[in-house]
Amino acid sequence: MTERFRDVSPEDAELEPILDGLFAEYAARYGDYFSRDAEVEQTEWYLAPQGLFIVLERDGAIIATGAYKPYDEQTAEIKRIWTDKTLRQQGLAGRVVAELERRARLAGYVQMYLTTGFRQPEAVRLYLSQGYQPQFDLDRDPEEYSRPPFDGRLRFTKALALPVLSKSA
């Protein structure tokens, strides 16, 4: 069993069924809740040097995806975290997030930002387990974040550790 990360363009045809499935999963959870303010995505946001879209492959098959795009000059925003439904609960999404962080650090980012929806408790657990700081009250019923003045998005941030430089004599 061989696994590897590979950089891709979000427009690659091989991603189309995966992204369609991801958005179908969102629709199943939220209906048209987020469609009223759907963001316009630009491919170049996810391309080097400012962005990145990766897949995790096992024996040549895509088993997980993730991306980041610039949020501001010092912050990368994580997007498109997906794991094959048959392979969930195996730590794959955590590996993708860790790789995105590593690559963002190499690209010069010092902080990560992300949002997840109010009906994705498994995503909240993932980001908390990866050291992300919630920018919302964890003790509040997540459904409350679907009503004004909130927009349904649960926000997280994480400062990226700077690489340790060795001192040479």
Side-chain angles (χ1 to χ4, degrees):
M1 179 168 63
T2 305
E3 290 185 355
R4 72 177 184 118
F5 285 104
R6 179 169 56 91
D7 297 8
V8 296
S9 166
E11 293 182 341
D12 284 357
E14 66 185 332
L15 291 179
E16 191 171 322
I18 291 168
L19 294 176
D20 287 348
L22 176 64
F23 289 114
E25 192 169 328
Y26 292 160
R29 288 184 192 226
Y30 298 105
D32 65 355
Y33 180 87
F34 287 111
S35 66
R36 69 181 183 277
D37 57 4
E39 66 183 287
V40 175
E41 295 279 307
Q42 295 180 17
T43 299
E44 56 268 16
W45 291 346
Y46 296 101
L47 301 175
Q50 77 270 1
L52 178 69
F53 203 114
I54 59 173
V55 296
L56 177 58
E57 294 179 323
R58 179 179 291 159
D59 297 329
I62 298 173
I63 60 172
T65 68
Y68 70 74
K69 67 180 186 176
Y71 183 72
D72 63 34
E73 285 185 16
Q74 299 201 13
T75 308
E77 180 178 2
I78 290 182
K79 303 290 281 184
R80 308 297 177 256
I81 300 298
W82 169 88
T83 302
D84 183 305
K85 280 185 180 187
T86 66
L87 301 173
R88 292 187 177 164
Q89 302 298 312
Q90 296 181 24
L92 299 174
R95 288 179 52 203
V96 169
V97 170
E99 179 67 7
L100 291 171
E101 291 173 3
R102 184 183 77 78
R103 299 283 299 274
R105 192 178 308 108
L106 290 173
Y109 291 108
V110 297
Q111 181 167 280
M112 301 300 281
Y113 169 83
L114 65 89
T115 63
T116 192
F118 61 95
R119 292 187 181 146
Q120 291 176 264
E122 67 284 359
V124 170
R125 286 189 301 273
L126 167 68
Y127 299 125
L128 290 172
S129 75
Q130 297 287 104
Y132 282 78
Q133 299 301 307
Q135 306 301 299
F136 60 96
D137 184 350
L138 288 170
D139 295 323
R140 192 177 214 159
D141 177 356
E143 288 289 326
E144 290 181 43
Y145 289 101
S146 70
R147 297 186 288 275
F150 306 107
D151 64 2
R153 291 175 178 84
L154 305 179
R155 291 161 173 80
F156 289 86
T157 60
K158 181 178 181 179
L160 295 175
L162 296 174
V164 177
L165 300 175
S166 63
K167 294 180 182 179
S168 54

